């Protein structure tokens, strides 16, 4: 322990000694949606938390203070670069400090157990080692900036269906070797200041009350000394949660802690020392982030400033995975594009104009700008060389008013007087807890008007609608088009049951470029009885629908006339987002048909896949190139132009196996049966399962093509270090991710045929030789012995495989341990 550590501990103990029971228990309940209570008499400021996997939203769900939006966690993991993840973390710490945030509710290190997992895009990888390495880099970076992290969701929250109640039944060995492994690596290597326990149960016990996994494993065995925060509204029991190791029940102020906990102590249900232990953890977190007087913060001099836009652009390009890049008619490969004078590009796809740059749900942030593929390519290509057409729209549903809308929310009391107002990034109002505009309160608000101007992009019949439960009045161009009440329906989906289903209310003919005033007034209901006060409703919009066959025909004509066709396909928020799992892996709408039609007339067709997780690509062998861009963040379009034009190399490698069809995926069961979801596959998840089952995926784990080629020359294994010598044999500088897999020979422990043991990145100029050094961790040679309840080293011979991707082995050596 350093002198600073001791000073913090001394300050924590001094503060703890000054608190009475009621103040202690109040400290363990959230003050509001995002913060903990302040106790000025002991010098304790309020500790503020915020969602932050890809950006820091802050304590208010508002666009008035924009946030940098980085690429999705799948994209960050696709870089296979913990150092870059650390830089991302430092940027987010910078953003957090600017917004007055002390703790980020991130990173999400649950595994890609199944491609159907709805929150797949917010997690890193199917592999526990890669997940742990990227998560370690992220946590180190955030905490380099003096901001805390809460590694989540501990543990087993690998799908969204019934996530509040599901009992995930996981045998001890896969629980240890797969699902706990990333958490263990991050706790031991990055020393996070927080953990978030999940909604679900594991083997019968709710995670917010899981004494064994929290008290025995996380704290006693791994040495975690940080603060354990519940997922929002996950804590269900006062005594059970505290004795199960939960420090803070969020959000507040109405939780199972506070007055209820003080009463439980006085009734003898909870020992006072257990409360002291939890309060000590909260005070230690406050001390570390600089919120406790007399305690030196861990970071007194934050890292130097980072250009958020530049880093977002770099991460995007580094995370793009080029999975196919064929020569056309025996000539050069399709990518990078031929930029000779006179060459033309037809850009096709609704997502090329309106890119989906983030995954939605609790990770949503509001960036100051978003660069779409159309924006990026239009800025990079010579004038007159780029054409655009929609081709096919992946969504036929009304969505929150966005493109062309400038909106504000105005809150009024019963007399009509304005209480407060705030800008809106879209037609969606989502205020939870203290998110309200300054001056507005739940008690005084009688109505909220979403109002502003809409400049249509297209002429024709525009549809307007509402989402939300309650009374509305919708007006366009100064004319009231609908007044009524949207009641709660019989929606099966719990999200729709709470927020109301999207409903079309009116259609209005509008002219492109001609502004029109829009207004949606919502009568605020009485929310005083709700455990968590919130207001959620939306002004919805849908552009004029053109004939689908006509759109595809237009795209075909554009592709036929161009030298290269770039088709952008995408998922939508109704396909992948937080709160539900996917039913299939198909692209929505007629996008597959669009790609086939374009490829049939232009052999030089490049497909850009704008999705956070795997989708089926039935046309993948019929196009020249396929580039996976995930949800690429605010600078995605600029990064795409960099990569397509060869200014940057697509640096990504797949962090998850990409199946050809859903039926090939080893794990597709994400829906519980009678409340239980059994992880019957054991250790066979992802590439381990494909190898065991003998199934060839569309693209294997670790796959990715750059713009150069590599020759693997030699592999030398000495002790726990593998050294790989390789040469850049192409004509461009490039980066290679050397992956080392271990395959036990004459296996005696029922292990997967091979596993990722380590990796390293190298960069080289054309013709240059470099050496990658990969340390093989002890855990790569161990299994969890269920009978002994401990780790056991398995001796014998192992084949060490230096690989470009799983199954793409370039060199081997035998190691005896």
């Amino acid at each position: 322990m350093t002198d600073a550590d001791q000073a913090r501990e001394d300050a924590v103990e001094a503060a703890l000694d000054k608190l009475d029971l009621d103040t202690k228990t109040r400290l363990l309940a959230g003050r509001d949606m995002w913060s903990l209570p302040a106790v000025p008499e002991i010098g304790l400021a309020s500790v503020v938390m915020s969602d932050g996997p890809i950006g820091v939203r802050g304590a208010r769900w508002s666009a008035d203070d924009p946030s940098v939006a980085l690429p999705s966690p799948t994209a960050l993991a696709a870089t296979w670069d913990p150092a870059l993840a650390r830089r991302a973390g430092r940027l987010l710490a910078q953003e957090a400090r600017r917004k007055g945030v002390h703790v980020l509710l991130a990173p999400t290190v649950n595994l890609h157990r199944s491609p159907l997992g709805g929150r797949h895009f917010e997690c890193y990888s199917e592999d526990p080692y890669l997940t742990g390495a990227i998560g370690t880099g992220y946590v180190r970076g955030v905490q380099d900036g003096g901001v805390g992290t809460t590694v989540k969701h501990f543990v087993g929250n690998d799908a969204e269906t019934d996530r509040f109640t599901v009992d995930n039944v996981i045998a001890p060995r896969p629980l240890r070797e797969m699902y706990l492994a990333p958490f263990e690596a991050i706790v031991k290597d990055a020393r996070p200041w927080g953990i978030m326990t999940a909604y679900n149960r594991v083997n019968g016990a709710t995670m917010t009350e899981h004494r064994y996994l929290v008290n025995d494993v996380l704290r006693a065995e791994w040495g975690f000394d940080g603060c354990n925060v519940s997922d929002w509204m996950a804590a269900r029991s006062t005594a059970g949660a505290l004795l199960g190791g939960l420090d803070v029940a969020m959000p507040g102020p109405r939780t199972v802690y506070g007055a209820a906990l003080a009463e439980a102590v006085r009734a003898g249900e909870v020992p006072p020392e257990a409360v002291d232990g939890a309060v000590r953890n909260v005070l230690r977190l406050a001390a570390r982030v600089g919120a406790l007087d007399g305690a030196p913060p861990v970071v007194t001099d934050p890292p130097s400033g980072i250009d958020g836009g530049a880093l977002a652009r770099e991460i995007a390009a580094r995370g793009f995975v080029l999975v196919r890049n064929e020569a056309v008619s025996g000539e050069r490969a399709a990518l990078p594009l031929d930029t000779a004078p006179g060459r033309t590009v037809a850009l096709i796809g609704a997502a090329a104009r309106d890119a989906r740059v983030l995954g939605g749900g609790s990770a949503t942030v509001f960036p100051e700008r978003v660069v779409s593929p159309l924006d990026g390519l239009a800025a990079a290509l010579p004038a007159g060389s780029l054409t655009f057409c929609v081709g096919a729209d992946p969504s036929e549903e009304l969505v929150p008013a966005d493109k062309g809308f400038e909106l504000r929310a105005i809150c009024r009391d019963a007399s009509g007087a304005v209480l407060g107002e705030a800008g809106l990034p879209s037609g969606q109002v989502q205020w939870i807890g203290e998110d309200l505009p300054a001056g507005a309160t739940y008690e005084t608000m009688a109505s909220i008007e979403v109002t502003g101007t809409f400049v249509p992009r297209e002429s024709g019949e525009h549809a307007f609608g509402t989402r939300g439960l309650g009374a509305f009045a919708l007006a366009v161009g100064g004319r009231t088009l609908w007044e009524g009440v949207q009641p709660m329906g019989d929606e099966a989906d719990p999200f729709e049951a709470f927020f109301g289903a999207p409903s079309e209310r009116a259609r209005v003919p509008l002219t492109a470029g001609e502004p029109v005033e829009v207004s949606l007034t919502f009568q605020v209901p009485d929310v005083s009885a709700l455990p968590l006060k919130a207001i959620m409703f939306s002004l919805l919009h849908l552009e004029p629908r053109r004939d689908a066959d006509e759109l595809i025909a237009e795209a075909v004509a554009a592709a036929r006339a161009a030298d290269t066709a770039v088709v952008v396909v995408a998922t939508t928020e109704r396909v992948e987002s937080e709160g539900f799992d996917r039913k299939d892996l198909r692209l929505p709408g007629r996008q597959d048909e669009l790609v086939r039609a374009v490829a049939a007339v232009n052999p030089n067709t490049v497909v850009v896949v704008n999705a956070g997780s795997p989708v089926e690509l039935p046309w993948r062998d019929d196009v020249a190139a396929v580039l996976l861009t995930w949800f690429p963040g605010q600078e995605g379009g600029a990064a795409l132009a960099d990569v397509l034009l060869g200014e940057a190399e697509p640096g990504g490698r797949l962090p998850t196996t990409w199946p050809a069809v859903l039926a090939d995926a080893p794990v597709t069961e994400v829906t519980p049966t009678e409340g239980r979801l059994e992880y019957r596959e054991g250790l066979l998840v992802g590439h381990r399962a494909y190898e065991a089952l003998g199934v060839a995926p569309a693209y294997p784990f670790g796959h990715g093509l750059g713009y150069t080629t590599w020759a693997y020359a030699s592999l030398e294994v000495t002790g726990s270090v593998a050294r790989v010598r390789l040469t850049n044999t192409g004509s461009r500088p490039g980066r290679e991710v050397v992956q080392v897999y271990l395959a036990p020979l004459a296996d005696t422990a029922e292990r997967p045929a091979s596993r990722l043991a380590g990796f390293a990145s190298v960069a080289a100029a054309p013709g240059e030789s470099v050496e990658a050094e990969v340390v093989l961790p002890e855990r790569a040679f161990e299994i969890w012995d269920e009978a002994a309840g401990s780790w056991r080293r398995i001796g014998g011979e192992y084949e060490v495989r230096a690989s470009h991707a799983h199954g793409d082995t370039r060199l081997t050596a035998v190691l005896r341990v």
Side-chain angles (χ1 to χ4, degrees):
M1 180 179 288
T2 67
D3 290 344
D5 291 333
Q6 188 62 59
R8 279 188 292 275
E9 290 301 305
D10 292 344
V12 165
E13 293 303 322
L16 181 62
D17 287 344
K18 297 175 183 176
L19 300 176
D20 59 25
L21 176 62
D22 292 305
T23 307
K24 289 176 182 176
T25 58
R26 183 166 57 88
L27 262 181
L28 304 181
R31 180 179 70 89
D32 52 29
M33 185 67 180
W34 303 113
S35 66
L36 301 182
V39 185
E41 52 267 35
I42 64 168
L44 177 65
S46 176
V47 173
V48 179
M49 307 179 191
S50 172
D51 282 304
I54 58 100
V56 183
R57 187 174 58 247
R60 292 181 180 273
W61 199 286
S62 168
D64 289 345
D65 183 11
S67 308
V68 173
L70 297 178
S72 64
T74 41
L76 184 61
T79 69
W80 287 60
D81 190 342
L84 186 58
R86 188 167 190 168
R87 291 171 57 204
R90 287 179 173 176
L91 169 65
L92 295 178
Q94 175 179 294
E95 285 276 281
R97 295 175 76 100
R98 180 177 66 81
K99 288 173 174 276
V101 169
H102 302 97
V103 179
L104 291 187
L105 304 174
T108 304
V109 300
N110 301 111
L111 296 186
H112 296 169
R113 173 177 173 261
S114 168
L116 292 177
R119 216 165 172 179
H120 194 295
F121 63 88
E122 196 179 311
C123 308
Y124 290 131
S125 171
E126 70 187 26
D127 185 80
Y129 181 83
L130 177 59
T131 296
I134 298 298
T136 293
Y138 177 100
V139 168
R140 285 176 173 168
V142 173
Q143 295 184 176
D144 284 347
V147 174
T149 55
T150 55
V151 187
K152 63 184 187 182
H153 307 86
F154 188 74
V155 62
N157 184 187
D158 309 297
E160 294 293 278
T161 303
D162 295 343
R163 60 177 172 161
F164 296 95
T165 58
V166 62
D167 183 10
N168 293 322
V169 182
I170 314 173
R173 186 174 171 189
L175 180 60
R176 287 282 189 158
E177 296 184 24
M178 299 293 293
Y179 302 98
L180 287 172
F183 291 95
E184 180 183 12
I186 294 168
V187 167
K188 291 183 175 180
D189 296 338
R191 313 303 301 177
W193 302 342
I195 288 280
M196 181 188 290
T197 40
Y199 293 117
N200 54 278
R201 291 177 286 164
V202 171
N203 298 332
T206 298
M207 280 309 306
T208 51
E209 303 172 29
H210 211 303
R211 299 189 190 191
Y212 170 67
L213 289 179
V214 174
N215 293 336
D216 296 349
V217 176
L218 175 64
R219 290 201 183 277
E221 185 180 324
W222 298 349
F224 174 68
D225 67 352
C227 185
N228 177 15
V229 180
S230 75
D231 204 341
W232 265 226
M233 302 197 306
R236 297 165 174 84
S237 161
T238 299
L242 195 79
L243 296 175
L246 181 69
D247 298 322
V248 174
M250 289 296 288
R254 294 170 62 177
T255 78
V256 298
Y257 286 171
L261 179 55
E263 182 179 338
V265 173
R266 293 184 175 111
E269 298 170 4
V270 175
E273 56 269 23
V275 173
D276 285 352
V279 174
R280 187 175 286 113
N281 293 331
V282 171
L283 293 174
R284 184 180 296 117
L285 173 63
R288 285 168 166 166
V289 301
L292 180 64
D293 287 351
V298 172
V299 176
T300 55
D301 298 311
S304 57
I306 299 170
D307 183 329
L311 183 58
R313 185 170 181 167
E314 179 185 352
I315 293 172
R318 289 280 303 278
F320 289 172
V321 183
L322 183 61
V323 293
R324 178 178 173 83
N325 192 23
E326 298 298 307
V328 180
S329 303
E331 300 175 0
R332 63 191 301 278
L335 293 179
L337 296 177
D338 184 351
T339 56
R343 303 286 292 184
T344 57
V345 175
L347 181 62
I348 298 165
R353 181 179 62 183
D354 302 325
R356 189 177 180 197
V357 301
L358 46 82
S362 61
T364 299
V365 295
F366 309 115
E368 188 171 17
R369 73 169 199 158
V370 170
V371 182
S372 69
L374 178 56
D375 295 332
L377 284 171
L381 289 171
S385 64
L386 179 70
T387 60
F388 168 75
C389 55
V390 170
D393 196 323
S395 176
E396 296 292 325
E397 296 182 332
L398 285 91
V399 297
D402 184 11
K403 304 300 181 184
F405 288 85
E406 290 190 7
L407 301 171
R408 296 191 67 76
I410 301 175
C411 305
R412 295 185 173 90
D413 64 16
S415 71
V418 174
L419 299 172
E421 60 182 278
L424 292 176
S426 72
Q428 177 173 305
V429 173
Q430 183 166 303
W431 295 335
I432 306 173
E434 303 300 314
D435 284 348
L436 301 178
T441 68
Y442 291 101
E443 293 74 21
T444 55
M445 275 192 305
S447 68
I448 302 168
E449 183 186 12
V450 174
T451 183
T453 303
F454 172 47
V455 181
R457 297 188 298 190
E458 298 184 17
S459 297
E461 194 172 57
H462 289 251
F464 292 86
T466 63
R467 183 173 194 173
L469 304 179
F472 294 93
L474 171 67
V476 177
R479 184 166 62 94
T480 299
L481 301 178
W482 178 78
E483 287 186 273
V485 176
Q486 182 164 340
M488 183 173 289
D490 57 357
E491 294 85 6
D493 183 274
F495 185 85
E496 288 193 352
F498 185 76
F499 298 110
S503 300
E504 182 178 318
R505 301 304 184 188
R507 295 196 174 196
V508 184
L510 300 173
T511 302
E514 293 188 6
V516 61
E517 298 301 309
V518 295
S519 170
L520 177 67
T521 301
F522 173 69
Q523 301 302 316
V524 178
D526 181 4
V527 297
S528 59
L530 296 178
L532 178 63
K533 294 182 176 63
I535 293 177
M536 300 185 186
F537 68 93
S538 297
L539 167 65
L540 305 179
H541 172 254
L542 183 65
E543 289 187 327
R545 299 290 90 181
R546 292 178 55 196
D547 179 77
D549 291 334
E550 180 183 312
L551 287 174
I552 292 177
E554 185 180 88
V556 167
R560 184 182 285 115
D563 295 303
T564 302
V566 176
V567 184
V568 182
V569 296
T571 59
T572 69
E573 284 209 24
R574 299 284 284 180
V575 172
E576 54 174 335
S577 188
E578 181 180 349
F580 58 89
D581 292 313
R582 294 198 283 172
K583 304 301 182 186
D584 57 54
L585 301 183
R586 294 192 295 272
L587 287 167
R590 296 177 65 177
Q591 295 181 100
D592 288 333
E593 183 180 345
L594 170 67
V595 173
R596 288 192 177 100
V598 168
V601 300
N602 190 329
N604 200 24
T605 293
V606 176
V607 181
V608 175
V609 183
N610 179 195
S613 47
V615 291
E616 293 177 3
L617 310 175
W619 32 258
R620 65 186 183 279
D621 294 332
D622 301 325
V623 299
V626 179
L627 181 68
L628 311 179
T629 62
W630 315 105
F631 297 142
Q634 67 177 55
E635 304 295 326
L640 180 63
D642 292 341
V643 167
L644 293 183
L645 301 181
E647 296 299 318
E649 182 181 39
R653 304 293 184 267
L654 282 177
T656 197
T657 307
W658 204 280
V661 293
L662 176 60
D664 288 348
V667 181
T668 57
E669 186 178 8
V670 293
T671 301
T673 300
E674 297 182 350
R676 289 163 56 93
L677 182 61
E678 299 197 26
Y679 286 38
R680 296 186 181 92
E681 68 282 352
L683 300 173
L684 298 182
V685 172
H687 55 284
R688 306 174 187 217
Y690 282 90
E691 185 172 17
L693 299 172
V695 174
Y699 305 111
F701 175 76
H703 175 63
L705 307 172
Y707 285 159
T708 189
T709 54
W710 297 88
Y712 283 60
S714 65
L715 166 62
E716 178 185 329
V717 182
T718 305
S720 62
V721 178
R723 293 181 175 85
V724 182
R725 192 79 178 167
L726 62 166
T727 302
N728 180 348
T729 55
S731 59
R732 295 172 56 102
R735 174 176 173 268
E736 174 72 330
V737 179
V738 177
Q739 302 160 41
V740 174
Y741 296 86
L742 280 185
L745 302 176
D747 183 41
T748 60
E750 297 182 352
R751 287 172 288 178
S754 66
R755 61 174 292 176
L756 178 68
F759 60 90
S761 297
V762 293
E768 182 182 4
S769 295
V770 289
E771 183 176 88
E773 182 176 289
V774 179
V775 177
L776 307 178
E778 285 294 316
R779 189 55 54 79
F781 303 95
E782 296 176 337
I783 67 164
W784 181 256
D785 188 324
E786 294 184 345
S790 62
W791 292 99
R792 177 162 61 92
R793 185 176 173 86
I794 305 297
E797 290 187 329
Y798 292 80
E799 184 176 70
V800 181
R801 300 172 177 171
S803 306
H804 171 74
H806 185 256
D808 186 356
T809 301
R810 304 297 175 90
L811 298 169
T812 63
V814 174
L815 172 66
R816 175 174 288 277
V817 299

